[in-house]
Amino acid sequence: MKSKSNLLPYYFPFLKKIKPDSSIFKIMKAFSSAILLSNPIYLSFHANIFFESISPFLAIWGLVLLLQNKSAKGYFWTGFFVGILWFWWVGLSAIYFDLSHITPLIILALGLVYGLLFRICHLLRYDFLRLCGIFALSYIHPLGFDWLNWGILSVYGFFDASMRGVLCIFAIAYFIHEGYISRYYKIAIVLALFFTGFHHTQKEAPLLEFSYKLINTNISQDQKFLQDKVQAHSKSLIAEIQKAILEKKELIVLPETAFAFVLKDTPYENALKELSHRITIITGAFNREGEKIYNSTYIFTQGQRHIFNKHFLVPFGEEIPFFKDWTKSHLLPNTEEFARGPLQSQYKLKNQLITNAICYEATKEQNYKNTQIMIALSNNAWFEGSSEHKLQQLLMRFYANKYAASVYHAVNGKENALILPKEKLSQRWLDALKIWDLL
């Protein structure tokens, strides 16, 4: 076992001068483990068949390094860096509330929360139980925030994007790490787990049965709600709808809060109703009912308007989960909280049942149950220049594969996508090799 702990300096020669039992070495080992466990997020910026193939094996390596890091501090630092590498972008939203000075504090707090969770897992006595604890973190959601989902480790690669695939990734890491099993038994067990978790069956998801257009806007968050800009942005959206009509599209989907105001009972609503005789329009906007305000999806079809209100709200972004009075007084004095709509909103277009999702909701497993087609609207400009949209897509791809659903995603910022169940990587390699032979 001692020789195995020296694998890190073998791959990173500059670490050879650092003593393996030093705190610096353990922190750097923890950082390396966190990078490997975060690899799908950052490799997705340069996704290709090679990176996709190695991604889950890098994650396995990261889990092995974590198990080798026997100390409680090692677990804490791994969780600390995982929290930052996955969620550093959360602090960027504070900029738009004139709280840019607390952005570093938010990032630090995220690292501490996940460092503490990993540290708690170390309290379990055996490596197997510790790994089970790390796996269980996917089901622990601070303030309802459930984006630490190990399912993304299976989105790329040869493993099925499901709990079966994820469990096999964790189990392979455990058996590679453990030293009480002979080499040949270990190889047999790892191969058995690999083929158990292998992506054997290609799932198929239904598609929209009519022509559509997803609109991607790129309005920066600091401009989006300025009153002198709202009218110009709204006119450009009307122009996009008219263009889609000329292109003979039957459906157009605009992003979350594309119309950045309460759309109901406005001239723009009347214009959209009129245009909806020629094309079905789905757009995001605000909705006010009495004293309550909602983040909503508006659907215009055949001169009629339907509104679906968001249920899953972003902590501190759309609702204040605790210390409401203090937070409103000292941090967010001009912020109006949103009310919650129904748990799951669905509607029909041409007899196809569609699940509505607004941004955060598109990453909630609850919304994929009883869902075959989802139309999701997002505003990712809150986190411009970050990895947020990549993590969001990975979560959506995981659930789309797990529930055999198709997701049509229209975004302000980055990036529009039609998300379908995972393609078999083995078939993609066969197709690539055939093309290579032809060349």
Side-chain angles (χ1 to χ4, degrees):
M1 294 298 294
K2 190 172 182 180
S3 62
K4 290 182 181 180
S5 66
N6 293 325
L7 283 176
L8 193 63
Y10 175 79
Y11 287 102
F12 300 94
F14 65 89
L15 294 180
K16 288 182 178 180
K17 296 181 180 180
I18 303 174
K19 294 181 180 180
D21 58 347
S22 69
S23 297
I24 293 176
F25 182 88
K26 291 176 181 178
I27 291 173
M28 297 186 75
K29 191 171 184 178
F31 182 64
S32 300
S33 177
I35 288 177
L36 293 168
L37 291 173
S38 310
N39 85 81
I41 301 171
Y42 296 97
L43 288 185
S44 64
F45 282 92
H46 307 284
N48 57 52
I49 194 169
F50 174 73
F51 285 155
E52 291 180 32
S53 299
I54 66 172
S55 177
F57 300 111
L58 294 176
I60 291 170
W61 184 15
L63 290 170
V64 171
L65 286 180
L66 175 63
L67 291 172
Q68 289 176 0
N69 211 336
K70 298 290 187 180
S71 69
K73 289 182 180 179
Y75 271 68
F76 170 82
W77 283 114
T78 300
F80 179 84
F81 291 126
V82 164
I84 291 176
L85 288 169
W86 283 49
F87 306 126
W88 65 272
W89 44 266
V90 171
L92 297 180
S93 60
I95 295 170
Y96 304 105
F97 294 100
D98 294 324
L99 295 170
S100 57
H101 58 282
I102 70 168
T103 294
L105 297 177
I106 294 173
I107 297 171
L108 178 62
L110 287 163
L112 291 174
V113 167
Y114 288 98
L116 180 61
L117 291 174
F118 273 64
R119 172 64 178 83
I120 291 171
C121 292
H122 183 268
L123 295 176
L124 301 169
R125 184 173 180 182
Y126 302 106
D127 286 336
F128 177 75
L129 294 179
R130 288 171 179 171
L131 197 61
C132 288
I134 296 298
F135 176 81
L137 293 182
S138 279
Y139 300 94
I140 297 175
H141 308 146
L143 304 180
F145 184 66
D146 57 356
W147 279 26
L148 184 72
N149 186 331
W150 300 122
I152 72 165
L153 303 181
S154 64
V155 169
Y156 293 137
F158 294 100
F159 292 90
D160 188 52
S162 65
M163 278 299 109
R164 173 171 59 87
V166 180
L167 282 168
C168 288
I169 287 172
F170 272 71
I172 287 172
Y174 172 74
F175 284 106
I176 289 175
H177 165 71
E178 285 302 337
Y180 62 82
I181 304 172
S182 72
R183 179 182 303 175
Y184 299 107
Y185 280 117
K186 184 177 290 192
I187 292 172
I189 291 171
V190 168
L191 287 174
L193 287 169
F194 175 76
F195 287 108
T196 299
F198 195 79
H199 186 194
H200 296 286
T201 306
Q202 176 68 53
K203 295 181 180 179
E204 299 294 336
L207 300 172
L208 291 173
E209 295 177 352
F210 42 92
S211 60
Y212 67 91
K213 186 173 185 178
L214 302 177
I215 299 300
N216 176 231
T217 56
N218 286 287
I219 303 170
S220 62
Q221 193 61 34
D222 59 348
Q223 300 289 311
K224 188 168 180 60
F225 298 106
L226 294 178
Q227 290 303 308
D228 59 338
K229 301 287 185 181
V230 165
Q231 187 172 4
H233 295 158
S234 299
K235 287 182 178 179
S236 69
L237 295 173
I238 297 294
E240 288 286 357
I241 296 169
Q242 293 170 333
K243 183 179 177 181
I245 292 172
L246 294 175
E247 294 170 355
K248 307 298 183 183
K249 301 297 183 183
E250 298 172 276
L251 168 69
I252 185 169
V253 184
L254 306 174
E256 176 187 12
T257 58
F259 292 90
F261 49 86
V262 176
L263 184 57
K264 188 166 57 176
D265 301 325
T266 66
Y268 284 105
E269 182 190 47
N270 295 331
L272 294 173
K273 284 181 178 179
E274 185 64 30
L275 290 168
S276 72
H277 288 286
R278 303 171 66 187
I279 188 172
T280 298
I281 304 163
I282 299 177
T283 185
F286 298 130
N287 171 37
R288 188 178 292 277
E289 296 179 9
E291 296 182 356
K292 295 181 177 180
I293 189 166
Y294 299 87
N295 188 356
S296 304
T297 297
Y298 284 69
I299 300 176
F300 297 91
T301 181
Q302 297 301 313
Q304 300 296 313
R305 177 261 288 155
H306 308 276
I307 301 176
F308 299 93
N309 299 320
K310 185 176 183 179
H311 175 81
F312 293 103
L313 303 177
V314 178
F316 293 103
E318 294 175 318
E319 68 169 348
I320 302 172
F322 53 78
F323 302 134
K324 289 180 184 286
D325 293 338
W326 184 89
T327 302
K328 287 184 176 181
S329 298
H330 296 85
L331 294 179
L332 304 170
N334 300 316
T335 299
E336 187 172 11
E337 288 187 87
F338 290 103
R340 290 180 181 269
L343 181 61
Q344 187 181 53
S345 298
Q346 294 183 314
Y347 53 90
K348 283 191 174 182
L349 293 177
K350 289 193 174 181
N351 293 319
Q352 287 187 294
L353 185 64
I354 313 294
T355 296
N356 177 65
I358 302 175
C359 199
Y360 192 41
E361 295 185 312
T363 64
K364 292 289 184 179
E365 185 168 12
Q366 179 64 40
N367 265 343
Y368 287 83
K369 297 176 180 178
N370 307 313
T371 292
Q372 292 186 313
I373 301 175
M374 175 183 289
I375 294 180
L377 320 180
S378 289
N379 175 26
N380 288 337
W382 288 100
F383 313 105
E384 185 178 0
S386 77
S387 55
E388 179 269 345
H389 66 286
K390 290 298 185 181
L391 178 54
Q392 181 189 42
Q393 278 195 11
L394 288 169
L395 292 165
M396 293 164 69
R397 290 175 67 177
F398 175 71
Y399 289 127
N401 186 78
K402 183 176 180 180
Y403 291 95
S406 57
V407 183
Y408 295 79
H409 191 205
V411 181
N412 176 51
K414 294 183 179 179
E415 55 198 11
N416 280 9
L418 168 57
I419 297 172
L420 299 171
K422 180 179 179 177
E423 291 184 69
K424 290 175 64 176
L425 188 62
S426 55
Q427 185 60 52
R428 289 175 58 194
W429 269 111
L430 289 173
D431 293 343
L433 292 172
K434 289 177 182 177
I435 293 173
W436 181 260
D437 289 339
L438 290 174
L439 294 175

